[in-house]
Amino acid sequence: MASAFLSRTLFAHRFVSSSAITQNPQKFAAVFFKKPLQSWASPLRTTYRRPTFIPGAMATTVAGSTVSFSTRSMSTSEPVVSVDWLHANLREPDLKVLDASWYMPDEQRNPLQEYQVAHLPGALFFDVDGISDRTTNLPHMLPSEEAFAAAVSALGIENKDGVVVYDGKGIFSAARVWWMFRVFGHDRVWVLDGGLPRWRASGFDVESSASGDAILKASAASEAIEKVYQGQPVGPVTFETKYQPHLIWTLEQVKKNTEDQTHQHIDARSKARFDGVAAEPRKGIRSGHVPGSKCIPFGQMLDSSQTLLSADQLKNKFEQEGISMDKPVITSCGTGVTACILALGLHRLGKTDVPVYDGSWTEWGAQEDTPVSTAPSASTC
Protein backbone atom coordinates (compact mmCIF):
# COMPACT_ATOMS: atom_id res chain seq x y z
CA MET A 1 0.00 0.00 0.00
CA ALA A 2 2.74 2.41 1.00
CA SER A 3 4.64 1.74 -2.20
CA ALA A 4 1.54 2.45 -4.22
CA PHE A 5 1.14 5.71 -2.34
CA LEU A 6 4.68 6.78 -3.08
CA SER A 7 4.21 5.85 -6.73
CA ARG A 8 1.30 8.27 -6.81
CA THR A 9 3.55 10.83 -5.13
CA LEU A 10 6.11 10.53 -7.89
CA PHE A 11 3.39 10.93 -10.52
CA ALA A 12 2.06 14.03 -8.81
CA HIS A 13 5.56 15.37 -8.30
CA ARG A 14 6.10 15.53 -12.06
CA PHE A 15 3.33 18.11 -12.28
CA VAL A 16 3.71 20.02 -9.02
CA SER A 17 6.85 22.06 -8.41
CA SER A 18 8.69 21.71 -5.13
CA SER A 19 8.15 25.40 -4.41
CA ALA A 20 4.40 24.97 -4.77
CA ILE A 21 4.40 22.07 -2.32
CA THR A 22 6.58 23.92 0.15
CA GLN A 23 4.45 27.06 -0.02
CA ASN A 24 1.18 25.21 0.45
CA PRO A 25 1.77 21.70 1.82
CA GLN A 26 -1.77 21.43 3.21
CA LYS A 27 -3.31 21.96 -0.21
CA PHE A 28 -0.91 19.46 -1.79
CA ALA A 29 -1.70 16.89 0.89
CA ALA A 30 -5.42 17.45 0.42
CA VAL A 31 -5.18 16.68 -3.29
CA PHE A 32 -2.75 13.85 -2.80
CA PHE A 33 -4.47 12.04 0.05
CA LYS A 34 -7.93 12.75 -1.36
CA LYS A 35 -9.08 14.38 1.87
CA PRO A 36 -10.99 17.65 2.37
CA LEU A 37 -8.73 20.67 2.52
CA GLN A 38 -10.08 21.77 5.90
CA SER A 39 -8.98 18.49 7.48
CA TRP A 40 -5.35 19.40 6.81
CA ALA A 41 -5.54 23.07 7.64
CA SER A 42 -5.24 22.78 11.43
CA PRO A 43 -2.79 20.17 12.65
CA LEU A 44 -3.82 18.58 15.94
CA ARG A 45 -0.60 19.47 17.68
CA THR A 46 -0.13 21.68 20.70
CA THR A 47 2.91 23.88 21.21
CA TYR A 48 6.02 21.83 21.78
CA ARG A 49 7.78 22.62 25.04
CA ARG A 50 11.21 21.22 25.73
CA PRO A 51 11.22 19.48 29.12
CA THR A 52 14.13 19.74 31.52
CA PHE A 53 16.40 16.76 31.01
CA ILE A 54 17.50 15.09 34.24
CA PRO A 55 20.93 13.47 33.93
CA GLY A 56 20.84 9.78 34.77
CA ALA A 57 17.06 9.55 34.57
CA MET A 58 17.30 7.34 31.52
CA ALA A 59 20.24 5.29 32.80
CA THR A 60 18.35 2.03 32.35
CA THR A 61 17.71 2.87 28.71
CA VAL A 62 20.76 4.70 27.41
CA ALA A 63 24.08 4.79 29.18
CA GLY A 64 26.25 7.90 29.08
CA SER A 65 23.54 10.45 28.20
CA THR A 66 24.38 13.99 29.28
CA VAL A 67 22.71 17.37 29.22
CA SER A 68 25.07 18.35 26.42
CA PHE A 69 23.52 16.13 23.78
CA SER A 70 25.51 14.19 21.23
CA THR A 71 24.50 10.93 19.57
CA ARG A 72 28.19 10.04 19.45
CA SER A 73 28.21 9.79 23.26
CA MET A 74 25.13 7.56 23.37
CA SER A 75 25.65 3.89 24.09
CA THR A 76 25.07 1.49 21.20
CA SER A 77 25.06 -1.48 23.56
CA GLU A 78 21.42 -0.65 24.34
CA PRO A 79 19.18 -1.04 21.27
CA VAL A 80 16.25 1.07 22.53
CA VAL A 81 15.57 4.51 23.99
CA SER A 82 12.61 5.51 26.13
CA VAL A 83 9.90 7.95 25.11
CA ASP A 84 10.99 10.25 27.96
CA TRP A 85 14.53 10.37 26.64
CA LEU A 86 13.38 11.07 23.09
CA HIS A 87 10.96 13.74 24.25
CA ALA A 88 13.82 15.51 26.02
CA ASN A 89 16.11 15.36 22.98
CA LEU A 90 13.68 15.47 20.08
CA ARG A 91 14.81 18.83 18.70
CA GLU A 92 18.52 18.11 18.62
CA PRO A 93 19.89 18.74 15.10
CA ASP A 94 21.91 15.53 14.80
CA LEU A 95 19.01 13.28 15.76
CA LYS A 96 16.64 12.01 13.06
CA VAL A 97 13.35 10.25 13.85
CA LEU A 98 11.73 7.79 11.44
CA ASP A 99 8.22 6.36 11.39
CA ALA A 100 8.81 2.86 10.04
CA SER A 101 5.33 1.48 10.58
CA TRP A 102 4.41 -1.59 8.53
CA TYR A 103 1.62 -4.10 8.91
CA MET A 104 0.81 -7.62 7.79
CA PRO A 105 -1.26 -7.74 4.57
CA ASP A 106 -4.28 -9.27 6.31
CA GLU A 107 -4.43 -6.35 8.77
CA GLN A 108 -5.55 -4.03 5.95
CA ARG A 109 -3.82 -1.01 7.50
CA ASN A 110 -2.07 1.67 5.51
CA PRO A 111 1.03 2.86 7.42
CA LEU A 112 1.51 5.98 5.33
CA GLN A 113 -2.04 7.15 5.86
CA GLU A 114 -1.67 6.49 9.56
CA TYR A 115 1.56 8.49 9.55
CA GLN A 116 -0.39 11.39 8.06
CA VAL A 117 -3.00 11.15 10.80
CA ALA A 118 -0.52 11.06 13.68
CA HIS A 119 3.27 10.97 13.93
CA LEU A 120 5.99 12.21 16.24
CA PRO A 121 6.92 15.88 15.70
CA GLY A 122 9.42 16.14 12.87
CA ALA A 123 9.42 12.41 12.10
CA LEU A 124 9.86 11.28 8.50
CA PHE A 125 8.22 8.24 6.94
CA PHE A 126 10.44 5.26 6.12
CA ASP A 127 8.72 3.00 3.60
CA VAL A 128 9.64 -0.57 4.57
CA ASP A 129 8.12 -2.00 1.39
CA GLY A 130 9.50 0.74 -0.84
CA ILE A 131 13.10 0.94 0.39
CA SER A 132 13.81 -2.60 -0.71
CA ASP A 133 15.39 -4.82 -3.34
CA ARG A 134 13.56 -4.36 -6.64
CA THR A 135 15.17 -7.42 -8.28
CA THR A 136 13.21 -10.02 -6.31
CA ASN A 137 9.57 -10.96 -5.83
CA LEU A 138 10.16 -11.53 -2.12
CA PRO A 139 8.65 -8.74 0.00
CA HIS A 140 10.77 -5.89 1.40
CA MET A 141 14.14 -7.59 1.02
CA LEU A 142 17.29 -5.64 1.87
CA PRO A 143 18.18 -3.23 -0.94
CA SER A 144 21.63 -2.83 -2.43
CA GLU A 145 24.15 -0.58 -0.71
CA GLU A 146 23.79 2.02 -3.44
CA ALA A 147 20.00 1.97 -3.25
CA PHE A 148 19.91 2.26 0.55
CA ALA A 149 22.45 5.09 0.54
CA ALA A 150 20.44 6.97 -2.11
CA ALA A 151 17.12 6.57 -0.28
CA VAL A 152 18.49 7.48 3.14
CA SER A 153 20.31 10.47 1.68
CA ALA A 154 17.05 11.63 0.11
CA LEU A 155 15.50 11.51 3.60
CA GLY A 156 18.21 13.91 4.75
CA ILE A 157 20.14 11.45 6.92
CA GLU A 158 23.91 11.66 7.19
CA ASN A 159 26.50 9.41 8.84
CA LYS A 160 26.91 11.89 11.68
CA ASP A 161 23.26 11.53 12.66
CA GLY A 162 21.78 9.39 15.37
CA VAL A 163 18.57 7.69 14.22
CA VAL A 164 15.56 6.71 16.33
CA VAL A 165 13.01 4.45 14.66
CA TYR A 166 9.47 3.78 15.85
CA ASP A 167 6.28 2.14 14.61
CA GLY A 168 2.55 2.17 15.28
CA LYS A 169 2.41 -1.08 17.24
CA GLY A 170 5.06 -0.58 19.91
CA ILE A 171 7.99 -2.65 18.75
CA PHE A 172 7.33 -4.34 15.44
CA SER A 173 8.62 -3.15 12.07
CA ALA A 174 10.88 -0.53 13.65
CA ALA A 175 13.24 -3.35 14.61
CA ARG A 176 13.59 -4.22 10.92
CA VAL A 177 14.80 -0.71 10.05
CA TRP A 178 17.11 -0.72 13.09
CA TRP A 179 18.66 -3.90 11.65
CA MET A 180 18.86 -2.42 8.12
CA PHE A 181 20.89 0.56 9.31
CA ARG A 182 23.22 -1.76 11.22
CA VAL A 183 23.71 -4.02 8.19
CA PHE A 184 24.90 -0.94 6.31
CA GLY A 185 27.33 0.02 9.05
CA HIS A 186 25.38 2.67 10.96
CA ASP A 187 25.45 1.69 14.65
CA ARG A 188 24.00 4.92 16.02
CA VAL A 189 20.44 3.72 15.59
CA TRP A 190 17.88 2.90 18.27
CA VAL A 191 14.27 1.71 18.46
CA LEU A 192 11.78 3.80 20.42
CA ASP A 193 10.70 1.50 23.25
CA GLY A 194 6.93 1.13 23.07
CA GLY A 195 6.71 3.16 19.86
CA LEU A 196 3.88 5.52 19.02
CA PRO A 197 1.41 3.92 21.50
CA ARG A 198 3.80 4.51 24.41
CA TRP A 199 4.52 8.06 23.21
CA ARG A 200 0.83 8.93 23.12
CA ALA A 201 0.10 7.17 26.42
CA SER A 202 2.74 9.40 28.00
CA GLY A 203 0.78 12.47 26.90
CA PHE A 204 3.34 13.73 24.40
CA ASP A 205 2.33 15.73 21.34
CA VAL A 206 1.88 14.30 17.85
CA GLU A 207 1.59 16.03 14.50
CA SER A 208 -1.42 15.35 12.33
CA SER A 209 -0.21 16.61 8.96
CA ALA A 210 3.00 16.25 7.02
CA SER A 211 5.01 19.32 6.04
CA GLY A 212 5.92 19.99 2.44
CA ASP A 213 9.49 19.00 3.29
CA ALA A 214 8.37 15.64 4.68
CA ILE A 215 6.28 14.94 1.60
CA LEU A 216 9.15 15.82 -0.71
CA LYS A 217 11.63 13.65 1.19
CA ALA A 218 9.35 10.60 1.19
CA SER A 219 8.80 11.06 -2.53
CA ALA A 220 12.50 11.60 -3.19
CA ALA A 221 13.47 8.42 -1.29
CA SER A 222 11.13 6.31 -3.40
CA GLU A 223 12.31 7.99 -6.59
CA ALA A 224 15.96 7.41 -5.63
CA ILE A 225 15.38 3.67 -5.19
CA GLU A 226 13.72 3.45 -8.60
CA LYS A 227 16.56 5.34 -10.28
CA VAL A 228 19.27 3.15 -8.77
CA TYR A 229 17.62 -0.05 -9.94
CA GLN A 230 17.03 1.46 -13.37
CA GLY A 231 20.66 2.46 -13.66
CA GLN A 232 19.91 6.18 -13.64
CA PRO A 233 21.93 8.82 -11.77
CA VAL A 234 20.64 9.99 -8.40
CA GLY A 235 21.07 13.18 -6.42
CA PRO A 236 23.83 13.92 -3.91
CA VAL A 237 24.56 11.02 -1.57
CA THR A 238 25.18 12.15 2.02
CA PHE A 239 25.15 8.69 3.62
CA GLU A 240 28.05 6.28 3.16
CA THR A 241 27.36 2.59 3.72
CA LYS A 242 29.76 0.06 5.25
CA TYR A 243 28.21 -3.32 4.52
CA GLN A 244 28.28 -5.83 7.38
CA PRO A 245 27.73 -9.24 5.72
CA HIS A 246 27.84 -11.12 9.03
CA LEU A 247 24.45 -9.60 9.98
CA ILE A 248 22.50 -11.12 7.07
CA TRP A 249 22.15 -14.72 5.93
CA THR A 250 21.03 -16.22 2.63
CA LEU A 251 19.08 -19.37 1.85
CA GLU A 252 22.31 -21.21 1.05
CA GLN A 253 23.80 -20.32 4.44
CA VAL A 254 20.68 -21.57 6.23
CA LYS A 255 20.77 -24.77 4.19
CA LYS A 256 24.37 -25.35 5.20
CA ASN A 257 23.50 -24.68 8.83
CA THR A 258 20.90 -27.47 8.83
CA GLU A 259 23.81 -29.81 8.27
CA ASP A 260 26.63 -28.15 10.19
CA GLN A 261 24.54 -26.73 13.07
CA THR A 262 27.08 -23.97 13.72
CA HIS A 263 24.31 -21.55 14.73
CA GLN A 264 21.23 -21.97 16.89
CA HIS A 265 18.30 -21.08 14.63
CA ILE A 266 15.35 -19.25 16.24
CA ASP A 267 12.06 -18.69 14.37
CA ALA A 268 9.95 -15.70 15.47
CA ARG A 269 6.67 -16.90 13.94
CA SER A 270 3.74 -18.20 15.98
CA LYS A 271 3.92 -21.75 17.33
CA ALA A 272 1.02 -22.81 15.10
CA ARG A 273 2.80 -21.66 11.94
CA PHE A 274 6.08 -23.15 13.14
CA ASP A 275 4.43 -26.51 13.85
CA GLY A 276 2.70 -26.49 10.47
CA VAL A 277 -0.83 -26.62 11.88
CA ALA A 278 -1.69 -23.09 10.69
CA ALA A 279 -1.60 -22.02 7.06
CA GLU A 280 0.90 -19.38 5.98
CA PRO A 281 -0.64 -15.94 5.27
CA ARG A 282 0.92 -15.88 1.79
CA LYS A 283 -0.28 -18.25 -0.92
CA GLY A 284 1.98 -20.98 -2.26
CA ILE A 285 4.09 -21.26 0.90
CA ARG A 286 4.40 -24.62 2.62
CA SER A 287 3.73 -24.87 6.36
CA GLY A 288 6.31 -25.92 8.92
CA HIS A 289 9.83 -24.86 9.86
CA VAL A 290 13.51 -25.23 9.01
CA PRO A 291 14.79 -28.52 10.45
CA GLY A 292 16.67 -27.98 13.69
CA SER A 293 15.21 -24.54 14.38
CA LYS A 294 13.38 -23.57 17.56
CA CYS A 295 10.33 -21.38 17.99
CA ILE A 296 10.30 -18.26 20.15
CA PRO A 297 7.43 -16.04 18.95
CA PHE A 298 8.55 -12.42 18.74
CA GLY A 299 5.88 -11.31 21.23
CA GLN A 300 7.78 -13.08 23.98
CA MET A 301 10.44 -10.38 23.74
CA LEU A 302 7.92 -7.72 24.85
CA ASP A 303 5.83 -6.91 27.88
CA SER A 304 2.13 -6.01 27.91
CA SER A 305 2.91 -2.41 26.93
CA GLN A 306 4.93 -3.59 23.90
CA THR A 307 8.25 -2.50 25.38
CA LEU A 308 11.36 -4.67 25.37
CA LEU A 309 11.78 -6.98 28.38
CA SER A 310 14.64 -6.46 30.79
CA ALA A 311 17.91 -8.30 30.22
CA ASP A 312 17.13 -10.80 33.00
CA GLN A 313 13.68 -11.51 31.61
CA LEU A 314 15.03 -11.96 28.10
CA LYS A 315 17.79 -14.27 29.31
CA ASN A 316 15.22 -16.44 31.06
CA LYS A 317 13.04 -16.60 27.93
CA PHE A 318 15.91 -17.83 25.77
CA GLU A 319 17.18 -20.27 28.37
CA GLN A 320 13.70 -21.76 28.78
CA GLU A 321 13.76 -22.64 25.07
CA GLY A 322 17.21 -24.17 25.29
CA ILE A 323 19.10 -21.29 23.65
CA SER A 324 22.64 -20.85 24.94
CA MET A 325 24.06 -17.34 25.10
CA ASP A 326 27.51 -18.87 24.62
CA LYS A 327 26.77 -20.12 21.10
CA PRO A 328 26.02 -18.23 17.84
CA VAL A 329 22.41 -17.52 16.90
CA ILE A 330 20.57 -16.83 13.66
CA THR A 331 16.97 -15.57 13.54
CA SER A 332 14.19 -15.86 10.96
CA CYS A 333 10.43 -15.32 10.69
CA GLY A 334 7.97 -14.95 7.82
CA THR A 335 9.54 -12.17 5.74
CA GLY A 336 12.47 -10.91 7.82
CA VAL A 337 10.56 -8.37 9.93
CA THR A 338 9.86 -9.93 13.33
CA ALA A 339 13.14 -11.88 13.22
CA CYS A 340 14.69 -8.48 13.88
CA ILE A 341 12.78 -8.24 17.18
CA LEU A 342 14.57 -11.40 18.32
CA ALA A 343 17.85 -9.81 17.21
CA LEU A 344 16.88 -6.69 19.19
CA GLY A 345 16.37 -8.75 22.35
CA LEU A 346 19.61 -10.64 21.84
CA HIS A 347 21.42 -7.32 21.31
CA ARG A 348 20.28 -6.22 24.78
CA LEU A 349 21.95 -9.39 26.11
CA GLY A 350 25.24 -8.47 24.46
CA LYS A 351 24.88 -10.62 21.34
CA THR A 352 25.41 -7.84 18.82
CA ASP A 353 26.42 -10.06 15.89
CA VAL A 354 23.17 -11.98 15.29
CA PRO A 355 22.41 -12.46 11.59
CA VAL A 356 18.85 -12.37 10.22
CA TYR A 357 17.78 -14.71 7.42
CA ASP A 358 16.37 -12.04 5.12
CA GLY A 359 14.21 -14.26 2.90
CA SER A 360 12.96 -16.18 5.94
CA TRP A 361 10.06 -18.62 5.63
CA THR A 362 8.52 -16.94 2.59
CA GLU A 363 11.64 -17.86 0.64
CA TRP A 364 12.34 -21.21 2.31
CA GLY A 365 8.77 -22.48 2.21
CA ALA A 366 8.36 -21.59 -1.47
CA GLN A 367 11.30 -23.73 -2.60
CA GLU A 368 10.77 -27.27 -3.83
CA ASP A 369 14.11 -28.60 -2.62
CA THR A 370 14.30 -27.18 0.91
CA PRO A 371 13.60 -29.59 3.79
CA VAL A 372 10.60 -28.82 5.98
CA SER A 373 9.82 -30.11 9.48
CA THR A 374 6.45 -30.07 11.20
CA ALA A 375 5.10 -31.01 14.62
CA PRO A 376 4.30 -34.75 14.99
CA SER A 377 0.57 -34.00 14.90
CA ALA A 378 0.81 -31.92 11.71
CA SER A 379 0.46 -33.42 8.27
CA THR A 380 3.73 -33.87 6.42
CA CYS A 381 4.57 -31.39 3.69
Side-chain angles (χ1 to χ4, degrees), residues 113 117 121 193 202 227 262 298 325:
Q113 288 181 355
V117 171
D193 210 7
S202 299
K227 284 185 174 180
T262 59
F298 72 90
M325 292 297 103

Side-chain angles (χ1 to χ4, degrees), residues 15-248:
F15 299 97
V16 182
S17 70
S18 59
S19 60
I21 297 172
T22 305
Q23 292 168 8
N24 200 340
Q26 287 83 13
K27 182 176 181 180
F28 177 79
V31 173
F32 189 74
F33 287 96
K34 299 179 181 179
K35 295 176 74 76
L37 180 59
Q38 59 268 28
S39 68
W40 304 106
S42 302
L44 300 176
R45 177 191 160 206
T46 58
T47 303
Y48 180 84
R49 296 176 181 174
R50 183 189 299 277
T52 302
F53 180 63
I54 303 174
M58 296 299 111
T60 58
T61 304
V62 177
S65 297
T66 63
V67 175
S68 179
F69 177 84
S70 171
T71 61
R72 293 184 181 277
S73 67
M74 289 170 61
S75 171
T76 56
S77 63
E78 267 296 335
V80 298
V81 295
S82 73
V83 295
D84 294 313
W85 182 92
L86 181 59
H87 190 252
N89 295 284
L90 188 62
R91 297 301 184 184
E92 297 299 336
D94 61 344
L95 182 68
K96 299 296 179 5
V97 180
L98 300 177
D99 183 328
S101 299
W102 174 89
Y103 304 103
M104 291 290 290
D106 60 357
E107 293 182 86
Q108 297 184 340
R109 295 177 64 176
N110 188 316
L112 196 49
Q113 288 181 355
E114 292 186 19
Y115 163 81
Q116 184 66 33
V117 171
H119 58 268
L120 270 62
L124 295 170
F125 183 76
F126 187 103
D127 184 8
V128 171
D129 279 332
I131 301 178
S132 62
D133 183 1
R134 302 299 174 87
T135 66
T136 176
N137 291 327
L138 294 171
H140 44 252
M141 293 294 95
L142 192 74
S144 68
E145 288 187 76
E146 184 184 0
F148 186 82
V152 168
S153 296
L155 288 172
I157 297 173
E158 302 178 25
N159 293 95
K160 67 180 179 61
D161 293 327
V163 179
V164 174
V165 193
Y166 75 90
D167 60 57
K169 282 194 167 183
I171 292 181
F172 188 61
S173 51
R176 168 76 184 185
V177 177
W178 166 82
W179 170 79
M180 290 174 72
F181 271 94
R182 294 184 63 246
V183 170
F184 290 118
H186 193 75
D187 288 333
R188 291 192 303 282
V189 57
W190 298 267
V191 170
L192 181 62
D193 210 7
L196 182 61
R198 182 86 170 189
W199 178 271
R200 301 191 78 165
S202 299
F204 298 144
D205 298 337
V206 296
E207 290 179 339
S208 62
S209 68
S211 67
D213 182 60
I215 293 170
L216 283 173
K217 285 179 176 177
S219 173
S222 180
E223 187 174 12
I225 286 279
E226 292 288 352
K227 284 185 174 180
V228 168
Y229 281 102
Q230 292 172 5
Q232 299 176 12
V234 296
V237 175
T238 59
F239 185 90
E240 180 182 350
T241 60
K242 295 180 181 178
Y243 186 59
Q244 307 294 311
H246 66 283
L247 294 179
I248 179 171

